[in-house]
Each structure stands twice: as C-alpha cells, then as structure tokens.
Amino acid sequence: MSYLLSLTKLLTPVLALVCTGGITTLQLTKITEIQAQTEVTKPTTVYLLEAEQEKANLAFIKNLPSFGFDNLVADWTFLRFLQYFGEKDARQQIGYALTPKYFEIFVDRDPKFTQPYKFMSPATSIFAGRPDQSVTLTEKGLKSLSPEISPDAYSLWVSKASDELLFLGDNQAARSSYLKAAQWARDSADPEAKRIGAIVTKTAEFLKDNPDSKNARISAWLMVLNSAPDEETRQRSISEIQALGGQVSVTEQNILKIQFPEED
C-alpha cells in the first residue's frame, strides 16, 4: 500500500499508465491472481494501519485539484480500488469498508466512464455491506449518462435495481429502475441490450404481479451473476439462486442455465 506522496509523485504513475493505454483494459480477476501469488500474510494490526493510511490518502485525493484532468484522477482511483479489493488476505481480516470512498471519488470525477461501476457497485453493496451508498452513487452517476453517451449505461439501472430489490427491500423502487433499464436498453446500440432488456422487463412484471416474487429475486441474482467481475461474487449469486429454489446447471457447451421454480 503506497503512502501519502506529493502531487507530482502521485500523478506520475497515472500519466505513465495512460500513455501505455493500460487503464481501461485492466481485469480485476487478473490482478487478484497476481496478488494471490505474491501477497504475504501480515498481522491484523498492520492491515489496520495500512487501511488508516489509505483512508487518509483517499481524503487527500478527494480534495485534489484536477487542473482539468478529472478523468486521470478517476482512473488512478479505480486502480487503487483494484489493488485494495485484490488484497484478499487483508480484506478477509478487516473487510472492505473503504470501498464506497473509492466509488464516491470515481463518480465525482468521471461519471460517464461506465466500466468501473460494474466492479465498484457490487463491491460496495455485497462486500462492504453498503447497498444504500451503492444506490446513491449509481443514481448520481446516471444523471450524467444516457444511452446515446454510453450504450451500456442501461446496465447501471439494472445494478441499482438489484441493490434495491435484494438488499434494501424496496421492491417498487426496484421495479421503477428495471423499467428504466428496459427503456434505455431499447434505445441502446449495445448488442447485449435486447437480451438484457427482455429479462429486466420480465422481472418488472414479476414485481408488478407479486412484489415478494422469488422469481424476481432470482432474476436479480442472475443479473449480478452475469456481470460479476470476480469468482466470489459469482459463487455468492449461484448460492442465493439455489436458496430461492432455482436450479443451476451447466450445459456441455459450458453455458450456465437457470430453471425458475413455480411461483406460489
């Protein structure tokens, strides 16, 4: 974990990464695999000290002047989040409490860059246990987005709806978000939009007819599963689907299939 540095030292690695074009192609699972090979287990007290230092770093970054380079600050914050999330031993010992702080900085600096939401939203709601903050920050980012600006922006409405349904218990807000996702999907040029739009429309129908529908919750976990950036989230999603009565199987073509239970 790096410590608080001067502005020049802080921005140097970001500029270098931007020049090589590596920022937007990072994959969380790859970073996690690399860190798993090199990470040395430390005492909990060391992890706590590092977390306090990183908390101070994030407070500094939050108030850092951008000089017109907000996107660089956002990219750099996302890289720090990936490093933080990938430190599995540390996270298992002291948790993911700083996750919403990374998410907040990112949304404030570059809300139109949609890919990081797919990592930071489930990390905030599932791992940090703050779906309320995930919903608030995603909603804030959506104010800067549209299907024309980002063809996959409809996926943010899906993520928001999943948090509202699965973790906040606000079924009507979830239904509204699913309908908005379907609308944006219809207006999107994303090749996946039509398929996802059909699924979320069906989920909204489940919620209209039966606000406590297990099938609606299974659909929500299926959306989480389809967009999960890491194996832990995927396994959590499968377990939740099975607990709700859904049957999970894998075809010979290695395609995951979900059979929904009959509604009561």
Side-chain angles (χ1 to χ4, degrees):
M1 190 71 68
S2 57
Y3 298 99
L4 191 59
L5 303 174
S6 67
L7 177 59
T8 301
K9 290 183 179 179
L10 287 173
L11 291 180
T12 297
V14 181
L15 295 173
L17 282 166
V18 171
C19 290
T20 60
I23 286 178
T24 58
T25 59
L26 283 172
Q27 295 294 320
L28 178 58
T29 51
K30 292 298 182 184
I31 290 178
T32 303
E33 289 171 6
I34 293 170
Q35 289 181 333
Q37 295 171 6
T38 59
E39 189 173 313
V40 177
T41 302
K42 304 172 187 176
T44 300
T45 52
V46 174
Y47 289 133
L48 289 170
L49 287 172
E50 289 180 345
E52 284 301 311
Q53 185 66 59
E54 181 65 357
K55 184 178 180 180
N57 291 347
L58 292 173
F60 175 76
I61 296 169
K62 181 176 174 60
N63 296 301
L64 184 69
S66 65
F67 302 108
F69 294 99
D70 273 332
N71 60 320
L72 297 185
V73 177
D75 290 340
W76 178 43
T77 300
F78 182 46
L79 290 175
R80 296 184 74 96
F81 161 73
L82 292 177
Q83 181 184 22
Y84 172 84
F85 189 90
E87 292 175 341
K88 288 301 182 183
D89 189 71
R91 303 287 70 79
Q92 288 170 2
Q93 290 196 45
I94 66 172
Y96 297 79
L98 294 182
T99 298
K101 296 185 181 297
Y102 293 101
F103 197 3
E104 181 180 9
I105 294 170
F106 171 79
V107 171
D108 285 343
R109 299 285 185 161
D110 193 10
K112 293 181 181 179
F113 182 23
T114 58
Q115 288 302 314
Y117 288 89
K118 298 174 185 180
F119 295 86
M120 302 175 94
S121 176
T124 298
S125 55
I126 296 175
F127 293 98
R130 295 305 307 267
D132 56 329
Q133 291 191 20
S134 180
V135 166
T136 297
L137 291 169
T138 300
E139 188 170 37
K140 183 177 182 180
L142 281 164
K143 293 177 181 178
S144 300
L145 289 164
S146 70
E148 293 75 27
I149 293 173
S150 299
D152 67 339
Y154 65 87
S155 66
L156 274 63
W157 283 109
V158 176
S159 177
K160 178 175 177 287
S162 296
D163 284 338
E164 290 164 340
L165 176 61
L166 298 175
F167 305 115
L168 299 182
D170 192 342
N171 294 352
Q172 290 310 305
R175 182 172 181 270
S176 177
S177 293
Y178 280 129
L179 290 173
K180 195 71 175 180
Q183 177 188 331
W184 281 31
R186 286 193 296 271
D187 296 335
S188 172
D190 184 353
E192 277 287 286
K194 185 175 181 179
R195 182 179 70 86
I196 300 300
I199 294 173
V200 297
T201 298
K202 186 67 174 178
T203 305
E205 291 175 1
F206 286 150
L207 289 172
K208 179 182 179 181
D209 298 334
N210 179 5
D212 298 320
S213 169
K214 287 185 177 181
N215 281 345
R217 296 176 67 85
I218 290 174
S219 291
W221 279 115
L222 181 58
M223 292 294 98
V224 174
L225 175 62
N226 285 337
S227 62
D230 64 286
E231 186 60 27
E232 191 172 354
T233 303
R234 286 190 284 271
Q235 290 303 319
R236 165 79 182 274
S237 302
I238 290 172
S239 296
E240 294 287 352
I241 289 170
Q242 291 173 329
L244 288 164
Q247 296 183 25
V248 181
S249 60
V250 180
T251 68
E252 293 180 356
Q253 292 75 34
N254 203 33
I255 297 173
L256 200 66
K257 302 206 69 166
I258 307 296
Q259 182 177 342
F260 286 71
E262 292 187 9
E263 292 278 19
D264 295 333

